[in-house]
Amino acid sequence: MEFRIERSALTEAVSWAARVLPVRSPVPVLGGLLLDTEAGAGEGTGSGAGRLRISGLDYEASARIDVEAEVPRPGRVLVMGRRLLDVCKVLPDGPVECAVEGSRFTVSGDGARFGLSVLPLDDYPALPPLPQVRGAVDAELFTAAVADVAVAAGRDDTLPALTGIRLGLDGDTMTLAATDRYRFAVRTVPWKAAAPGESADVLVSARRLTEIARSLGRSGLVSLALDAGSAGFEHAGMRTTVRLLEGRLPRHEKLFALEDPAVAVVDRARLAEAVKRVSVVADGDSPVQMAFSRADASVTLRAGYEDDVASQRLPAALEGAEELTVAFNPAYLADALASFTGPALRLQLLGAGQRALITDGAGPDTHRHLLMSVRPQLV
């Protein structure tokens, strides 16, 4: 086996595939990356580009990426993935030559040369196949939607279903949702179904899905594939699969239907900055209080206790009540505000200790974030 490739292309491909490798595994070969090369048309005569395919997997996910390379001598080799990534990061810029020499895989470029031991190919499991493709979604929209809802996913592995993001497919709409019981984020995006009437409702690890969305790129279409036990994503020569989580998230429709709420409209950027500012005196999970006044067309944010306090007043429109005071966990509130990008936010409020729904304020509610308010405390 022998191939030549630019150092930057090799590093990016190795880094992308290596992200699924387990940190520790009782099966040593699962720490390996499989490098598989194929000569292109006319290879060896100075024309045509070959292909380098790099694959990795663990018990939950797999990754595969194809890049162009000059391949004088096709072949396959299994090497320790993180060690190869470390080598790629310190190689000089420029062309890199890689080859199998006996029981060693060599990597050299601009006078630097490394030798890596190879792992037994016979012990390496086959990568899982890509499930049935159900349709495609815009890569930029998908990445943004995953980021918007992932902030609400749980971190407690003893409740695995709450660490997931729901992917719901219904006609030409994809719904993403996540909750940790104290907040609930939902985002809908358009998507192109492969067949009429395509529908599905599955749960994917929020951590895994976030990694996948960030790695797939910001342009073009991402193909989504599903079967009974796994989800697959394919984009621009990159293919990855992840095992589905068991269980279901609670349905959000009834939770998001607030009866006769007061409605406040606030500038998003100014509110986010004010929450960040007053939270510096909020020890632990002590709340940030928001006191709305219709007469003054304002909201006053307060945080802290006794002598360590902070406050800031902002313009805000309030309808449905003359005055209303609510309070939120500052980290949860900051996460929710950061997930929006519009100029104004619309807050539907029921009162202290009850649900509050945040939306973009104008246009269709494609992004919604539900927070549980806490009882305000004197500051």
Side-chain angles (χ1 to χ4, degrees), residues 41 51 64 74 121 155 179 192 202 207 228 269 271 284 318 335 344 376:
R51 184 215 69 199
R64 194 191 81 184
L121 279 169
R155 308 292 189 270
T179 181
K192 298 180 180 179
V202 299
R207 179 179 65 84
L271 180 59
L318 180 66
D335 284 345

Side-chain angles (χ1 to χ4, degrees), residues 43-69:
E43 198 71 49
T45 63
S47 64
R51 184 215 69 199
L52 167 64
R53 172 171 291 171
I54 304 178
S55 308
L57 78 162
D58 70 1
Y59 295 110
E60 294 183 358
S62 72
R64 194 191 81 184
I65 182 169
D66 291 352
V67 292
E68 291 187 355

